[in-house]
Amino acid sequence: MNENDEILAAEKYVIGCIVYEPDCIKEVYGYLFPEHFPLPIMSKTYKAMLEMYTNGEAITPISIATRIKHEHEKDIECPAWVMQMCKECLAEIGT
């Protein structure tokens, strides 16, 4: 596994953990920021999760897709992409 694969795996693990158990975001809130995710799609996803947590909104694959589509509609294909990404992230944590 090269460094890029390790970075992607770590990003997927963090996102997957939050999708699986949204309350765990409080463990990294204030320490981990979107800029820490080198891949733009993961950064956008984590940013959306932070905003939802801050606003007291439910963090679900659908709510993530809705938030990202609203803010970045022309950049990525939602919700199919977010659902696939969440599935991959959940697989990374072994669910």
Side-chain angles (χ1 to χ4, degrees), residues 15 18 25 29 32-37 39-55 59 64 67-68 71-72:
I15 299 294
I18 296 169
I25 196 169
Y29 189 83
L32 185 62
F33 300 97
E35 303 82 44
H36 292 134
F37 292 80
L39 296 175
I41 53 178
M42 297 302 235
S43 179
K44 289 176 186 178
T45 300
Y46 184 68
K47 179 180 181 224
M49 292 173 147
L50 285 177
E51 290 170 352
M52 289 185 284
Y53 177 74
T54 300
N55 294 332
I59 298 173
I64 295 165
R67 168 83 50 143
I68 292 173
E71 293 182 8
H72 308 284

Side-chain angles (χ1 to χ4, degrees), residues 13-87:
Y13 190 84
V14 169
I15 299 294
C17 286
I18 296 169
V19 169
Y20 184 71
E21 185 59 56
D23 284 343
C24 77
I25 196 169
K26 62 185 163 196
E27 300 297 325
V28 295
Y29 189 83
Y31 300 102
L32 185 62
F33 300 97
E35 303 82 44
H36 292 134
F37 292 80
L39 296 175
I41 53 178
M42 297 302 235
S43 179
K44 289 176 186 178
T45 300
Y46 184 68
K47 179 180 181 224
M49 292 173 147
L50 285 177
E51 290 170 352
M52 289 185 284
Y53 177 74
T54 300
N55 294 332
E57 301 170 27
I59 298 173
T60 67
I62 297 297
S63 64
I64 295 165
T66 301
R67 168 83 50 143
I68 292 173
K69 181 161 180 74
H70 177 71
E71 293 182 8
H72 308 284
E73 189 169 343
K74 63 185 177 293
D75 294 346
I76 58 177
E77 192 65 35
C78 288
W81 173 85
V82 172
M83 298 304 279
Q84 178 61 34
M85 187 268 314
C86 287
K87 182 179 173 182

